[in-house]
Amino acid sequence: MSDQRVAVVSGGSRGIGKAIAVALAARGRAVVVGFQGAASAAAQVVEEITASGGRAVPVQADVADEGAVAAMFDAAEESFGGVDVVVNSAGRMSLSPIADLDLDELDALHRTNIRGAFVMAREAARRVRAGGAIVNLSTSVVGLQFPAYGAYAASKGAVEAMTLVLARELRGRNITVNAVAPGPTATELFLDGKDEATIRRLAEQPPLERLGTPEDIAEVVCFLASPAGHWINGQVVRANGGII
């Protein structure tokens, strides 16, 4: 059996998840690229990884479906021998003032962002090997309180709370659990529906005076998932260029 470390990345077909999958593979991890609907995009990520000499397989899974998530972890064990790193980057975002919020959309958002995060975390807690890492994706909006982000920020606040509890529940297992909370990041999900003036205003907020990139976030995740970052545990890292 290979001694290669193995990562499962949900939401790995695009945006931040794709950058994380590619970056982990570049650091020698075998990667399960989890996706829900974008099969062709996931296949392209796998092709990019394998073309660079890495190992990866795509696996379709709705993160809120416990059977599908268990099957994704099964695929990691069958393809690569185990699971060492789990990154939950699958997410859904819906923007609306709280007074106007469609509750059906709230339920859909929370199904992916809260239930999905719990299902991924539960399976990770059962399967990640000693020395491993679990990294959840949150958002800096939990602290920044931007208008119209109430439902999204609430869902990610739940993810942060769960992350901190799980880190303590895994005492004695030598597994770290952290969350990374990106600020405004230039992904398709983030840019959708925003005009140039809004994007420019958001880019000017951090002292570094630019939007983050998916690669910026991937670097933070890779550090937390590496032996070098193993002393960081039970933390939420605000990766936002210094926005207060």
Side-chain angles (χ1 to χ4, degrees):
M1 183 180 294
S2 171
D3 61 358
Q4 183 176 36
R5 286 168 64 84
V6 180
V8 173
V9 181
S10 71
S13 64
R14 60 183 61 180
I16 291 172
K18 173 185 176 180
I20 291 168
V22 170
L24 286 169
R27 287 161 173 78
R29 309 295 195 272
V31 181
V32 170
V33 178
F35 69 96
Q36 181 167 359
S40 60
Q44 289 173 3
V45 176
V46 169
E47 182 178 350
E48 180 178 342
I49 289 171
T50 56
S52 298
R55 302 173 70 200
V57 294
V59 178
Q60 186 170 21
D62 173 359
V63 291
D65 181 336
E66 61 267 40
V69 169
M72 181 166 60
F73 280 72
D74 288 344
E77 293 175 347
E78 292 162 5
S79 298
F80 304 123
V83 179
D84 302 286
V85 175
V86 173
V87 182
N88 183 44
S89 60
R92 181 185 181 106
M93 183 163 65
S94 180
L95 302 183
S96 169
I98 291 171
D100 302 325
L101 184 63
D102 182 331
L103 295 181
D104 288 339
E105 181 59 28
L106 176 70
D107 291 342
L109 186 152
H110 282 197
R111 182 178 187 277
T112 297
N113 292 3
I114 297 180
R115 178 186 168 91
F118 269 77
V119 171
M120 285 289 294
R122 186 178 73 164
E123 205 64 37
R126 294 171 174 177
R127 305 230 207 174
V128 170
R129 295 184 287 202
I134 301 167
V135 184
N136 293 311
L137 269 291
S138 179
T139 173
S140 285
V141 175
V142 172
L144 297 173
Q145 297 108 30
F146 290 159
Y149 282 81
Y152 182 65
S155 72
K156 292 299 189 177
V159 171
E160 292 188 7
M162 179 266 292
T163 297
L164 304 186
V165 170
L166 183 58
R168 285 142 184 88
E169 289 180 347
L170 296 185
R171 173 182 291 273
R173 295 271 304 279
N174 192 27
I175 297 168
T176 62
V177 189
N178 294 289
V180 175
T185 305
T187 64
E188 181 181 339
L189 178 68
F190 174 78
L191 296 174
D192 183 46
K194 294 182 174 68
D195 59 29
E196 287 298 321
T198 299
I199 293 169
R200 185 167 56 252
R201 176 176 56 80
L202 291 168
E204 290 171 351
Q205 287 188 326
L208 297 180
E209 296 186 325
R210 66 172 176 85
L211 293 177
T213 68
E215 291 72 25
D216 290 326
I217 308 307
E219 289 294 324
V220 178
V221 172
C222 285
F223 175 70
L224 293 173
S226 74
H230 202 66
W231 190 236
I232 299 173
N233 188 29
Q235 304 298 318
V236 178
V237 179
R238 305 268 182 235
N240 60 28
I243 303 176
I244 303 302

